[in-house]
Amino acid sequence: DARRCNQTRMATTKSKTSTPKKAVREAKAKTAPAKAIQDLLDTIAAKEKWLSKRLRAPATPEAIGALRALVAPDLLVALYASHDGSEAECMGPYRFLSIREIESERAMMNELLERNEGWKESETWNSKWIPFFADGDGQYYAIDPDGTCNGGVPGQVIFYDHEVGPERAFTSFEAFVGL
């Protein structure tokens, strides 16, 4: 009986000490993308003031939920929690799409995929890709959640050109933003 009581006490003590550690790890994992994005935005504000003025207000919680439902990487979600895209071109002819625009562009491309049998065979477009950066003329940078493009890795960033198709551009969104 005393042995069982000690075992119970030890198990209770162990679970109490491991639970806060787990909570801290989970909290750090959740805040790491937000901190990385804040560091990026601070750098932009310090070095490229014109660019920070072109970023939109944060996305709504509903829009963030829609982006998460697409299986977007945490770092991309953190960016959109800070800014729902950009008002105008910010890097050459490219700009960050708003979440509404992401959904719209993705729906248009998925509709084209359904209408064009050859696109599936040639892997011209994948219905899971998430376009987030576009030039307005048929070129996108998109997240490939499953790593389907060119035998890549899950979460890679692809460059899609409407004239030549997709190619892997970066191994991750982190690499895309230089983090």
Side-chain angles (χ1 to χ4, degrees), residues 11-31:
T12 303
T13 304
K14 186 177 181 179
S15 68
K16 284 181 182 176
T17 58
S18 65
T19 301
K21 288 179 183 177
K22 183 178 177 185
V24 168
R25 278 195 311 271
E26 289 173 359
K28 283 183 180 178
K30 288 180 182 177
T31 59

Side-chain angles (χ1 to χ4, degrees), residues 156-178:
Q156 70 184 355
V157 174
I158 60 157
F159 177 72
Y160 175 84
D161 184 322
H162 68 96
E163 293 179 6
V164 296
E167 63 183 55
R168 182 174 44 198
F170 298 92
T171 56
S172 67
F173 184 69
E174 288 85 349
F176 176 82
V177 295

Side-chain angles (χ1 to χ4, degrees), residues 31-139:
T31 59
K35 180 174 178 354
I37 289 299
Q38 190 56 55
D39 291 347
L40 174 66
L41 294 172
D42 290 346
T43 300
I44 289 171
K47 294 183 178 186
E48 304 291 339
K49 290 179 177 42
W50 64 272
L51 178 55
S52 63
K53 293 177 184 174
R54 293 183 176 192
L55 299 173
R56 292 182 175 146
T60 65
E62 295 80 17
I64 293 294
L67 187 59
R68 283 191 192 283
L70 299 177
V71 192
D74 289 341
L75 196 61
L76 183 68
V77 173
L79 174 64
Y80 279 86
S82 296
H83 296 284
D84 191 9
S86 58
E87 293 290 336
E89 298 169 349
C90 54
M91 292 180 211
Y94 293 89
R95 68 180 187 81
F96 283 101
L97 301 173
S98 68
I99 294 174
R100 186 181 56 76
E101 291 168 323
I102 287 172
E103 293 173 317
S104 176
E105 293 293 324
R106 189 169 181 262
M108 178 192 68
M109 293 302 292
N110 288 346
E111 185 178 317
L112 289 171
L113 177 64
E114 288 301 314
R115 285 196 263 150
N116 296 290
E117 294 283 326
W119 277 30
K120 291 176 187 170
E121 293 170 20
S122 66
E123 299 180 343
T124 299
W125 182 260
N126 183 298
S127 63
K128 293 183 180 180
W129 291 347
I130 308 165
F132 65 90
F133 201 55
D135 72 348
D137 195 30
Q139 278 112 3

Side-chain angles (χ1 to χ4, degrees), residues 133-147:
F133 201 55
D135 72 348
D137 195 30
Q139 278 112 3
Y140 303 103
Y141 284 89
I143 301 294
D144 177 2
D146 296 334

